Amino acid sequence: MQIEAIRLKNFRAFHDINMRDIPRFCVLVGANGSGKSTLFSVFAFLRDAMATNVTAALGKLGGSRGFEEVRSRGSSGPIEIELKLRTASASGRSQLITYELHIDEAKGRPVVTREILRYRRGSHGKPWHFLEFSNGMGEAVTNELDTVADESQLKREQQTLKSPDILAIKGLAQFERFPAVVALGNLIENWHLSDFHISRARPEADAGYAEHLSREGENLSLVVEYLYKNHPAVFQKVLDRLRTCVPGISKVEAKTTEEGRVLLKFQDGAFEDPFLARYVSDGTIKMLAYLVLLFDPSPHPLLCVEEPENQLYPSLLWDLAEEFRSYGELGGQVFVTTHSPDFLNAIHLDELFWLVKKEGYTSIHRAKDDLQLKAYVDEGDQLGYLWNSGLFAGVNP
């Protein structure tokens, strides 16, 4: 699945925005406080709501005042989130999926007032509604999409949720007879928001088991150990890429101590004895973590990465941008926020969006729609230079 468009209304600084034509590698820039992290919090909210319920997910974002803190200040009406996703059926036919969610308050508690999942085959035609719920009640289709030729053949089943603050896709994704809902639920549950911290990744981890890098990276040594033992070819790819990025590194391994802790050891070709992760540069640790994430044998359908340039030498940012782009070309999707002109110099015009906050609300602009920026790029200018020169309308970096 690829997210092609995001519409938000009354979600924090996004009073009413529609972000269209989103590429598989999408880079977001903007001044501090313009809303870059807020866009990622939409993904975090949906994942948390899938894991718990809307009330708990809003509380995680807005504290004790949940709904009122998340709803745009000075606005009324529901919080609205709409995602348009492009996917392919088992037969290879293109499908556009639209998931729409409205959240409001009733008697002081958040409720899902509207939740719709609809499909459209190809680029034209009327969409079919596969799920439609309001206040905890509604219906969902039980057919496999490829088995249906006409909307009249859809089999609908009435359902009542345990509470009006539970997402219908959360409840119904547990049942295989709702295949369309299961597909969307799997996507939301498996997207990854990276908030990597060097201080969390350096300490020796307790012995254990981990297949995927965690949000903050504290299980890095466990994942390296898993790749080394279970996916040696993948581990070798990670090591080969790390060698090209960090001169001198010839070997990386995870070793379990007698006390049951896992530590990372690095070998520099110039020295006989390996050294521990605590003595390695921040940039080396961070580049290793990103490579482990990007070469995951069971990749996430969506990655969100904030400011990857921190702790990395500027010359590495071009390589990292290429790795993110390759991840998208292989079927995943990557959203990245950045302030780095060096990172932007590796970005294509159609991959870039910038955010502008004015009078408390944020707007989103697509770089390829700006004729002046396009003219500069066509003449050979790089986006990082243009960003540093203040040529993005409404932004003063």
Short mmCIF file of all heavy atoms in Angstrom, two decimals, residues 28-32 34 36 309 338-345 352-356 373 376-377 381-397:
data_model
loop_
_atom_site.label_atom_id
_atom_site.label_comp_id
_atom_site.label_asym_id
_atom_site.label_seq_id
_atom_site.Cartn_x
_atom_site.Cartn_y
_atom_site.Cartn_z
N LEU A 28 9.67 16.38 4.26
CA LEU A 28 8.95 17.53 4.78
C LEU A 28 9.93 18.51 5.42
O LEU A 28 10.76 18.12 6.24
CB LEU A 28 7.92 17.10 5.83
CG LEU A 28 6.91 16.04 5.38
CD1 LEU A 28 6.24 15.41 6.59
CD2 LEU A 28 5.87 16.65 4.46
N VAL A 29 9.82 19.77 5.04
CA VAL A 29 10.63 20.81 5.67
C VAL A 29 9.72 21.92 6.16
O VAL A 29 8.58 22.06 5.70
CB VAL A 29 11.70 21.39 4.70
CG1 VAL A 29 12.70 20.34 4.32
CG2 VAL A 29 11.04 21.99 3.46
N GLY A 30 10.24 22.72 7.07
CA GLY A 30 9.48 23.83 7.62
C GLY A 30 10.18 24.36 8.85
O GLY A 30 11.02 23.68 9.44
N ALA A 31 9.82 25.56 9.24
CA ALA A 31 10.41 26.14 10.44
C ALA A 31 10.00 25.35 11.67
O ALA A 31 9.04 24.57 11.63
CB ALA A 31 9.97 27.60 10.58
N ASN A 32 10.73 25.53 12.77
CA ASN A 32 10.35 24.89 14.03
C ASN A 32 8.94 25.28 14.41
O ASN A 32 8.55 26.45 14.33
CB ASN A 32 11.32 25.31 15.15
CG ASN A 32 12.69 24.70 14.98
OD1 ASN A 32 12.84 23.64 14.38
ND2 ASN A 32 13.71 25.37 15.50
N SER A 34 6.21 24.36 12.88
CA SER A 34 5.29 24.48 11.75
C SER A 34 4.36 23.29 11.59
O SER A 34 3.38 23.36 10.85
CB SER A 34 6.09 24.70 10.45
OG SER A 34 6.95 23.60 10.21
N LYS A 36 5.60 19.69 11.37
CA LYS A 36 6.18 18.47 10.77
C LYS A 36 5.94 17.26 11.68
O LYS A 36 5.50 16.20 11.23
CB LYS A 36 7.67 18.67 10.52
CG LYS A 36 8.01 19.83 9.59
CD LYS A 36 9.48 19.91 9.26
CE LYS A 36 10.36 20.14 10.48
NZ LYS A 36 10.08 21.44 11.14
N GLU A 309 19.50 13.75 10.02
CA GLU A 309 20.82 14.37 9.89
C GLU A 309 21.55 14.51 11.22
O GLU A 309 22.79 14.67 11.24
CB GLU A 309 20.71 15.75 9.24
CG GLU A 309 19.93 16.79 10.05
CD GLU A 309 18.46 16.84 9.71
OE1 GLU A 309 17.97 15.87 9.11
OE2 GLU A 309 17.80 17.83 10.04
N THR A 338 13.24 17.15 7.94
CA THR A 338 14.64 17.55 7.98
C THR A 338 14.75 19.07 8.05
O THR A 338 13.84 19.80 7.65
CB THR A 338 15.40 17.02 6.75
OG1 THR A 338 16.79 17.31 6.88
CG2 THR A 338 14.88 17.64 5.47
N HIS A 339 15.90 19.52 8.56
CA HIS A 339 16.30 20.93 8.48
C HIS A 339 17.61 21.07 7.71
O HIS A 339 18.16 22.16 7.63
CB HIS A 339 16.52 21.50 9.89
CG HIS A 339 15.27 21.68 10.68
ND1 HIS A 339 14.35 22.67 10.41
CD2 HIS A 339 14.77 21.01 11.75
CE1 HIS A 339 13.35 22.61 11.27
NE2 HIS A 339 13.58 21.61 12.09
N SER A 340 18.13 19.97 7.18
CA SER A 340 19.48 19.95 6.64
C SER A 340 19.52 20.28 5.15
O SER A 340 18.98 19.55 4.32
CB SER A 340 20.10 18.56 6.85
OG SER A 340 21.29 18.43 6.12
N PRO A 341 20.23 21.36 4.78
CA PRO A 341 20.44 21.64 3.34
C PRO A 341 21.19 20.52 2.64
O PRO A 341 20.93 20.23 1.47
CB PRO A 341 21.25 22.93 3.36
CG PRO A 341 20.97 23.57 4.68
CD PRO A 341 20.78 22.42 5.63
N ASP A 342 22.12 19.86 3.36
CA ASP A 342 22.88 18.77 2.74
C ASP A 342 21.97 17.60 2.38
O ASP A 342 22.13 16.98 1.33
CB ASP A 342 23.98 18.28 3.70
CG ASP A 342 25.03 19.35 3.94
OD1 ASP A 342 25.80 19.63 3.02
OD2 ASP A 342 25.05 19.92 5.04
N PHE A 343 21.01 17.28 3.25
CA PHE A 343 20.06 16.21 2.95
C PHE A 343 19.16 16.64 1.78
O PHE A 343 18.89 15.85 0.87
CB PHE A 343 19.22 15.89 4.19
CG PHE A 343 18.35 14.68 4.04
CD1 PHE A 343 18.86 13.40 4.24
CD2 PHE A 343 17.01 14.80 3.70
CE1 PHE A 343 18.05 12.28 4.10
CE2 PHE A 343 16.20 13.69 3.55
CZ PHE A 343 16.72 12.43 3.75
N LEU A 344 18.71 17.89 1.80
CA LEU A 344 17.82 18.37 0.74
C LEU A 344 18.51 18.38 -0.62
O LEU A 344 17.84 18.24 -1.65
CB LEU A 344 17.32 19.78 1.07
CG LEU A 344 16.28 19.87 2.19
CD1 LEU A 344 15.92 21.33 2.45
CD2 LEU A 344 15.03 19.08 1.84
N ASN A 345 19.83 18.54 -0.64
CA ASN A 345 20.53 18.52 -1.93
C ASN A 345 20.42 17.18 -2.64
O ASN A 345 20.64 17.08 -3.84
CB ASN A 345 22.01 18.87 -1.72
CG ASN A 345 22.22 20.36 -1.53
OD1 ASN A 345 21.40 21.18 -1.94
ND2 ASN A 345 23.33 20.73 -0.89
N LEU A 352 9.45 16.60 -2.37
CA LEU A 352 9.53 17.60 -1.31
C LEU A 352 8.23 18.36 -1.10
O LEU A 352 7.59 18.81 -2.05
CB LEU A 352 10.65 18.59 -1.63
CG LEU A 352 10.93 19.65 -0.56
CD1 LEU A 352 11.43 19.02 0.73
CD2 LEU A 352 11.96 20.67 -1.09
N PHE A 353 7.85 18.52 0.18
CA PHE A 353 6.75 19.38 0.60
C PHE A 353 7.27 20.32 1.69
O PHE A 353 8.15 19.93 2.45
CB PHE A 353 5.59 18.55 1.18
CG PHE A 353 4.86 17.70 0.18
CD1 PHE A 353 5.43 16.55 -0.33
CD2 PHE A 353 3.59 18.05 -0.26
CE1 PHE A 353 4.77 15.75 -1.25
CE2 PHE A 353 2.91 17.25 -1.18
CZ PHE A 353 3.50 16.10 -1.67
N TRP A 354 6.73 21.53 1.75
CA TRP A 354 7.13 22.38 2.86
C TRP A 354 5.89 22.93 3.57
O TRP A 354 4.83 23.09 2.99
CB TRP A 354 8.08 23.48 2.43
CG TRP A 354 7.51 24.71 1.78
CD1 TRP A 354 7.11 25.87 2.41
CD2 TRP A 354 7.32 24.94 0.38
NE1 TRP A 354 6.68 26.79 1.49
CE2 TRP A 354 6.80 26.26 0.24
CE3 TRP A 354 7.53 24.16 -0.76
CZ2 TRP A 354 6.49 26.80 -1.00
CZ3 TRP A 354 7.22 24.71 -1.99
CH2 TRP A 354 6.71 26.01 -2.10
N LEU A 355 6.07 23.17 4.87
CA LEU A 355 4.98 23.58 5.74
C LEU A 355 5.16 25.03 6.17
O LEU A 355 6.28 25.47 6.46
CB LEU A 355 4.91 22.70 7.00
CG LEU A 355 4.32 21.29 6.85
CD1 LEU A 355 5.19 20.40 5.97
CD2 LEU A 355 4.13 20.62 8.21
N VAL A 356 4.05 25.76 6.19
CA VAL A 356 4.05 27.16 6.61
C VAL A 356 2.96 27.35 7.66
O VAL A 356 1.82 26.94 7.45
CB VAL A 356 3.78 28.10 5.42
CG1 VAL A 356 3.70 29.55 5.90
CG2 VAL A 356 4.86 27.95 4.36
N LEU A 373 10.50 27.61 -8.04
CA LEU A 373 11.40 26.55 -7.58
C LEU A 373 11.74 25.60 -8.73
O LEU A 373 12.90 25.19 -8.89
CB LEU A 373 10.77 25.77 -6.43
CG LEU A 373 10.80 26.39 -5.04
CD1 LEU A 373 10.15 25.44 -4.04
CD2 LEU A 373 12.22 26.70 -4.60
N TYR A 376 14.31 27.14 -10.99
CA TYR A 376 15.66 27.10 -10.40
C TYR A 376 16.27 25.70 -10.54
O TYR A 376 17.43 25.54 -10.89
CB TYR A 376 15.60 27.47 -8.93
CG TYR A 376 15.44 28.96 -8.65
CD1 TYR A 376 14.51 29.40 -7.72
CD2 TYR A 376 16.23 29.91 -9.30
CE1 TYR A 376 14.36 30.76 -7.45
CE2 TYR A 376 16.08 31.26 -9.04
CZ TYR A 376 15.14 31.69 -8.11
OH TYR A 376 15.00 33.01 -7.84
N VAL A 377 15.47 24.67 -10.21
CA VAL A 377 15.97 23.29 -10.27
C VAL A 377 16.30 22.91 -11.71
O VAL A 377 17.31 22.24 -11.98
CB VAL A 377 14.94 22.32 -9.65
CG1 VAL A 377 15.36 20.86 -9.89
CG2 VAL A 377 14.81 22.57 -8.16
N ASP A 381 20.07 24.27 -9.97
CA ASP A 381 20.17 24.54 -8.54
C ASP A 381 19.70 23.34 -7.73
O ASP A 381 18.80 22.60 -8.15
CB ASP A 381 19.34 25.77 -8.16
CG ASP A 381 20.03 27.08 -8.55
OD1 ASP A 381 21.23 27.19 -8.29
OD2 ASP A 381 19.35 27.96 -9.11
N GLN A 382 20.27 23.18 -6.54
CA GLN A 382 19.86 22.10 -5.64
C GLN A 382 18.93 22.66 -4.57
O GLN A 382 19.02 23.82 -4.17
CB GLN A 382 21.08 21.45 -5.00
CG GLN A 382 21.96 20.72 -5.99
CD GLN A 382 23.17 20.08 -5.34
OE1 GLN A 382 23.82 20.69 -4.51
NE2 GLN A 382 23.49 18.85 -5.73
N LEU A 383 18.03 21.77 -4.09
CA LEU A 383 17.00 22.22 -3.16
C LEU A 383 17.57 22.71 -1.83
O LEU A 383 17.01 23.62 -1.21
CB LEU A 383 15.99 21.09 -2.93
CG LEU A 383 15.08 20.79 -4.13
CD1 LEU A 383 14.31 19.50 -3.90
CD2 LEU A 383 14.12 21.95 -4.38
N GLY A 384 18.68 22.11 -1.38
CA GLY A 384 19.28 22.57 -0.13
C GLY A 384 19.77 24.00 -0.23
O GLY A 384 19.61 24.80 0.70
N TYR A 385 20.36 24.35 -1.36
CA TYR A 385 20.82 25.73 -1.58
C TYR A 385 19.62 26.68 -1.61
O TYR A 385 19.66 27.76 -1.02
CB TYR A 385 21.59 25.80 -2.90
CG TYR A 385 21.90 27.21 -3.35
CD1 TYR A 385 22.93 27.95 -2.77
CD2 TYR A 385 21.13 27.82 -4.34
CE1 TYR A 385 23.19 29.25 -3.17
CE2 TYR A 385 21.38 29.12 -4.74
CZ TYR A 385 22.42 29.83 -4.16
OH TYR A 385 22.66 31.12 -4.55
N LEU A 386 18.56 26.27 -2.28
CA LEU A 386 17.37 27.13 -2.38
C LEU A 386 16.72 27.32 -1.01
O LEU A 386 16.25 28.41 -0.68
CB LEU A 386 16.37 26.52 -3.37
CG LEU A 386 16.88 26.36 -4.82
CD1 LEU A 386 15.85 25.62 -5.66
CD2 LEU A 386 17.21 27.71 -5.42
N TRP A 387 16.69 26.24 -0.22
CA TRP A 387 16.14 26.31 1.13
C TRP A 387 16.97 27.26 2.00
O TRP A 387 16.44 28.12 2.70
CB TRP A 387 16.11 24.91 1.74
CG TRP A 387 15.88 24.83 3.22
CD1 TRP A 387 16.80 24.53 4.17
CD2 TRP A 387 14.64 25.03 3.91
NE1 TRP A 387 16.21 24.54 5.42
CE2 TRP A 387 14.89 24.85 5.28
CE3 TRP A 387 13.35 25.36 3.49
CZ2 TRP A 387 13.91 24.98 6.25
CZ3 TRP A 387 12.36 25.49 4.45
CH2 TRP A 387 12.64 25.30 5.81
N ASN A 388 18.28 27.14 1.92
CA ASN A 388 19.18 27.98 2.72
C ASN A 388 19.10 29.44 2.30
O ASN A 388 19.36 30.33 3.10
CB ASN A 388 20.62 27.48 2.57
CG ASN A 388 21.32 27.30 3.90
OD1 ASN A 388 20.69 27.32 4.94
ND2 ASN A 388 22.63 27.12 3.86
N SER A 389 18.72 29.67 1.06
CA SER A 389 18.62 31.04 0.54
C SER A 389 17.27 31.67 0.83
O SER A 389 17.02 32.81 0.41
CB SER A 389 18.90 31.04 -0.97
OG SER A 389 20.18 30.52 -1.25
N GLY A 390 16.38 30.95 1.50
CA GLY A 390 15.08 31.50 1.86
C GLY A 390 14.12 31.63 0.70
O GLY A 390 13.26 32.52 0.70
N LEU A 391 14.23 30.74 -0.28
CA LEU A 391 13.40 30.85 -1.48
C LEU A 391 12.14 29.99 -1.43
O LEU A 391 11.45 29.86 -2.44
CB LEU A 391 14.24 30.48 -2.72
CG LEU A 391 15.40 31.45 -3.00
CD1 LEU A 391 16.27 30.95 -4.14
CD2 LEU A 391 14.87 32.85 -3.30
N PHE A 392 11.83 29.41 -0.26
CA PHE A 392 10.57 28.70 -0.08
C PHE A 392 9.56 29.70 0.48
O PHE A 392 9.72 30.20 1.60
CB PHE A 392 10.74 27.51 0.86
CG PHE A 392 11.50 26.36 0.28
CD1 PHE A 392 12.79 26.50 -0.20
CD2 PHE A 392 10.90 25.10 0.20
CE1 PHE A 392 13.48 25.45 -0.74
CE2 PHE A 392 11.59 24.02 -0.33
CZ PHE A 392 12.88 24.19 -0.80
N ALA A 393 8.52 29.97 -0.27
CA ALA A 393 7.57 31.02 0.08
C ALA A 393 6.96 30.81 1.46
O ALA A 393 6.48 29.72 1.78
CB ALA A 393 6.46 31.08 -0.97
N GLY A 394 7.03 31.85 2.30
CA GLY A 394 6.40 31.81 3.61
C GLY A 394 7.28 31.23 4.70
O GLY A 394 6.86 31.16 5.86
N VAL A 395 8.49 30.78 4.35
CA VAL A 395 9.38 30.16 5.34
C VAL A 395 10.68 30.93 5.39
O VAL A 395 11.22 31.35 4.37
CB VAL A 395 9.69 28.69 4.96
CG1 VAL A 395 10.65 28.07 5.98
CG2 VAL A 395 8.41 27.89 4.90
N ASN A 396 11.20 31.12 6.60
CA ASN A 396 12.49 31.76 6.77
C ASN A 396 13.36 30.84 7.62
O ASN A 396 13.40 30.95 8.83
CB ASN A 396 12.35 33.12 7.46
CG ASN A 396 13.68 33.84 7.56
OD1 ASN A 396 14.62 33.51 6.85
ND2 ASN A 396 13.75 34.83 8.43
N PRO A 397 14.05 29.85 6.99
CA PRO A 397 14.76 28.83 7.74
C PRO A 397 15.89 29.41 8.59
O PRO A 397 16.44 30.43 8.27
CB PRO A 397 15.29 27.92 6.64
CG PRO A 397 15.37 28.76 5.43
CD PRO A 397 14.26 29.75 5.53
#
